[in-house]
Amino acid sequence: MEQETILIIDEAGFSRVCSAILEAEGYRAETIPLESPEPQTVCNEGVGLVITSYPYGSRFFDDLCRYSLPIIVLTDHISKELLSALEGFENSICMIKPLDYQKFTSLVRQMMAGTYASQGGYSIV
């Protein structure tokens, strides 16, 4: 079975860093620049996890809600708008920046393996 891809939708600098970290962990990462077309052109059956940030990736949230993919949203602040957006996802984690990269890679491993104990909805870590 072919390995699923982790889709990163974020600003170019972080996307490169995140991609390098995940590839060092053995994952295949694909980055989507924010200027890219709507997610349905990039979210396909080979994607196992989406990583994006708030507010940078928020224009994709409505489209991403249509997929039942797990999503990690990175942010430096919690707002009512963010919490409202997170409620639209079936399985999401919101991580507060600055990131603890060990915790981040651990959560990625769990979400990609399907072992993250989610109750549905979202968690904030």
Side-chain angles (χ1 to χ4, degrees):
M1 185 171 117
E2 190 172 315
Q3 181 184 19
E4 290 181 313
T5 299
I6 297 173
L7 184 63
I8 304 166
I9 304 171
D10 209 331
E11 55 191 330
F14 178 76
S15 290
R16 283 193 303 272
V17 169
C18 187
S19 180
I21 289 167
L22 295 173
E23 287 174 358
E25 293 287 319
Y27 295 103
R28 184 173 61 219
E30 187 176 304
T31 61
I32 302 299
L34 291 178
E35 306 77 42
S36 127
E38 293 304 304
Q40 55 262 41
T41 63
V42 294
C43 267
N44 57 43
E45 291 179 21
V47 174
L49 173 65
V50 175
I51 298 172
T52 189
S53 66
Y54 182 84
Y56 293 106
S58 61
R59 75 178 186 100
F60 290 95
F61 285 3
D62 287 342
D63 290 316
L64 289 171
C65 284
R66 297 182 190 141
Y67 302 94
S68 59
L69 295 171
I71 183 167
I72 297 176
V73 178
L74 311 173
T75 188
D76 56 8
H77 69 284
I78 301 292
S79 66
K80 285 191 275 189
E81 294 81 14
L82 173 58
L83 294 176
S84 177
L86 291 172
E87 288 174 2
F89 296 117
E90 286 182 33
N91 181 15
S92 66
I93 295 176
C94 180
M95 293 190 78
I96 308 297
K97 297 175 186 176
L99 290 182
D100 173 333
Y101 285 99
Q102 284 185 310
K103 181 176 263 187
F104 174 72
T105 55
S106 174
L107 287 170
V108 167
R109 264 192 304 278
Q110 292 174 51
M111 291 184 92
M112 288 296 283
T115 60
Y116 180 73
S118 170
Q119 304 299 315
Y122 65 89
S123 299
I124 297 176
V125 294

